[in-house]
Amino acid sequence: AKEKSDEVAIVQAACIAQKTQIMGEKEAADRDLAKALPFLEKAVAAADSIKPADINELKGMRNAVDTTRLIMDTIHVLFQRSLNPCKPRALNILKTDIPFINDSFDDHTKNTLSNSNFLKELLEFSANEKDNINEETIELLEPYLLLQTPDGREVYNGAVAKKSSSALEGLCTWTAAMSDYHKASKIVKPKLLLLNIK
């Protein structure tokens, strides 16, 4: 009876230790998840701020400005849609020529704006596809999101986008927030998966 009692005590102690470890890991995962959620909320709020009239304004532009071309290409990157092969081209944003790559607006992304379900696609992506963003997509987005003028001014931000169109502000904020969400959530996902296995 003493031997059995000792065995039970050992198993019980191991179970308590394992429970303590799992609870600690869950708390850490919850903290990391709490850091990722504001980016998702920011993306959803940005998509919600875009109205059909804003999209119609962008569609109605006779010649898309370079800010529009830049931001729409980032949406194509996120949606993993076609872009033109890379070749150098200067963009004119903030009244400054910025060395970058040729956009795909005329050949590919203009059609995205023409799609009557475009806003719905943004919201569905935020709700259902955000966790399918991969590292390659984030790497392709980085040059756009980190673009600066030769004198060091940030180009890819809502305030700059708004100077061209209020719709662009929401689209710019949305794409950047999707990238930020991925970066924050990739720390959380393996931990949550591990906790589910345990």
Side-chain angles (χ1 to χ4, degrees):
K2 170 105 172 49
E3 283 178 20
K4 281 288 180 196
S5 176
D6 290 346
E7 283 177 25
V8 168
I10 290 168
V11 170
Q12 185 179 22
C15 287
I16 290 170
Q18 188 176 23
K19 180 183 175 188
T20 303
Q21 179 187 351
I22 290 171
M23 291 304 293
E25 289 172 0
K26 184 179 183 316
E27 286 172 13
D30 287 343
R31 279 193 303 274
D32 289 338
L33 185 60
K35 291 176 189 171
L37 288 177
F39 297 116
L40 179 59
E41 289 162 6
K42 186 176 181 181
V44 171
D48 284 341
S49 75
I50 304 163
K51 305 297 176 217
D54 297 329
I55 301 304
N56 288 335
E57 178 192 328
L58 291 176
K59 275 192 233 177
M61 288 180 177
R62 291 178 66 92
N63 292 311
V65 296
D66 284 345
T67 310
T68 304
R69 294 171 178 275
L70 179 77
I71 292 168
M72 289 305 299
D73 274 8
T74 63
I75 290 169
H76 257 237
V77 170
L78 268 175
F79 285 177
Q80 297 187 353
R81 294 182 180 162
S82 298
L83 293 171
N84 290 340
C86 288
K87 62 181 182 182
R89 178 172 99 79
L91 302 177
N92 191 278
I93 300 175
L94 294 171
K95 299 179 181 177
T96 306
D97 285 337
I98 306 163
F100 198 58
I101 57 171
N102 192 39
D103 65 87
S104 302
F105 186 85
D106 294 324
D107 297 324
H108 298 289
T109 53
K110 191 174 188 177
N111 294 333
T112 299
L113 276 177
S114 301
N115 183 346
S116 60
N117 291 320
F118 177 52
L119 276 179
K120 187 178 173 186
E121 285 182 325
L122 291 177
L123 294 171
E124 285 181 356
F125 191 96
S126 299
N128 304 318
E129 297 298 321
K130 65 187 179 297
D131 291 315
N132 295 328
I133 299 171
N134 59 37
E135 285 301 305
E136 183 180 5
T137 298
I138 296 303
E139 284 177 28
L140 291 170
L141 277 177
E142 286 292 300
Y144 295 88
L145 302 183
L146 300 177
L147 188 62
Q148 294 184 340
T149 60
D151 61 0
R153 287 175 290 160
E154 185 182 350
V155 170
Y156 204 94
N157 70 51
V160 172
K162 190 175 184 178
K163 290 178 182 179
S164 297
S165 163
S166 58
L168 285 178
E169 178 182 21
L171 293 172
C172 177
T173 303
W174 183 81
T175 49
M178 283 284 97
S179 174
D180 291 338
Y181 170 79
H182 171 79
K183 290 173 186 173
S185 68
K186 74 179 182 180
I187 298 165
V188 183
K189 289 175 201 170
K191 291 181 180 179
L192 291 176
L193 183 62
L194 186 62
L195 287 171
N196 287 336
I197 292 169
K198 289 181 179 182

